[in-house]
Amino acid sequence: MPAEPAGEAEGGPRKVARVVLLDPDDRVLLLHGHEPDDPADDWWFTPGGGLEGAETREQAVLRELAEETGITEVDLGPVLWRRRCSFPFAGRRWDQDEWYYLARTTRTATGVTALTELERRSVAGARWWTCRELARAHETVYPTRLAELLRRLLDEGPPARPVTLDTEIV
């Protein structure tokens, strides 16, 4: 979920770090988001957000995970996927370069610790999903092929190097 835009003065897409957080049962944690002024326009997405200052993507993903879920006890793994995306949200267009990290945790309780004002108006909660639930879901989930990507990850393990996903323009 975007926070206030950062890094756009330098030009190019916003640098974003996201996490595919798995629990001991291989469920993935997703956040439930919506347009700030239209809760019916909703979707599910992986925790994460934009880099702040001189942060590395690894630092950003751990900070964002803690802020959005309260989860700090994680084993951070490799970058699984990279994706460019562009979408409308909160009255503007967001162009992002997203890196998705694998992480595992034994902690499944979540709690928000530090959302931005925009996130407070647009994040409705969190839920752990099984791969089967994702495959059967009728809700919108980003990235759009997450069920397929998660199944491959669970069956084959992390890729040898990050996989570039198709660009998504909404």
Side-chain angles (χ1 to χ4, degrees):
M1 179 53 84
E4 306 307 330
E8 292 184 14
E10 298 89 45
R14 179 173 179 251
K15 293 180 181 177
V16 171
R18 298 202 167 281
V19 63
V20 177
L21 183 64
L22 301 178
D23 74 359
D25 296 321
D26 287 336
R27 297 180 304 167
V28 63
L29 183 65
L30 298 180
L31 302 179
H32 191 201
H34 58 82
E35 273 292 330
D37 298 322
D38 184 6
D41 184 1
D42 68 332
W43 56 87
W44 292 88
F45 64 101
T46 57
L51 279 62
E52 294 181 356
E55 250 180 352
T56 65
R57 289 197 197 237
E58 292 85 0
Q59 292 166 331
V61 79
L62 293 173
R63 176 187 48 75
E64 287 283 343
L65 184 62
E67 291 173 357
E68 295 174 345
T69 71
I71 297 175
T72 57
E73 304 88 24
V74 299
D75 292 322
L76 188 62
V79 177
L80 300 170
W81 316 309
R82 292 181 181 168
R83 174 180 86 134
R84 292 288 298 268
C85 62
S86 179
F87 54 91
F89 175 72
R92 66 176 294 265
R93 178 148 294 274
W94 300 77
D95 296 311
Q96 299 190 158
D97 174 26
E98 300 181 336
W99 292 17
Y100 290 79
Y101 286 83
L102 173 61
R104 290 199 170 265
T105 188
T106 57
R107 180 173 165 201
T108 57
T110 62
V112 173
T113 64
L115 295 183
T116 66
E117 186 274 333
L118 180 57
E119 288 169 331
R120 283 192 297 278
R121 295 189 299 126
S122 60
V123 177
R127 176 183 162 196
W128 292 95
W129 294 72
T130 66
C131 194
R132 185 176 194 175
E133 289 169 334
L134 270 179
R136 294 180 173 182
H138 295 290
E139 293 95 341
T140 300
V141 177
Y142 294 109
T144 55
R145 294 176 36 231
L146 185 58
E148 171 191 335
L149 294 164
L150 181 59
R151 172 53 41 216
R152 183 174 300 135
L153 172 65
L154 296 175
D155 288 347
E156 301 172 10
R161 58 187 145 276
V163 173
T164 301
L165 303 180
D166 291 339
T167 296
E168 288 190 51
I169 300 174
V170 179

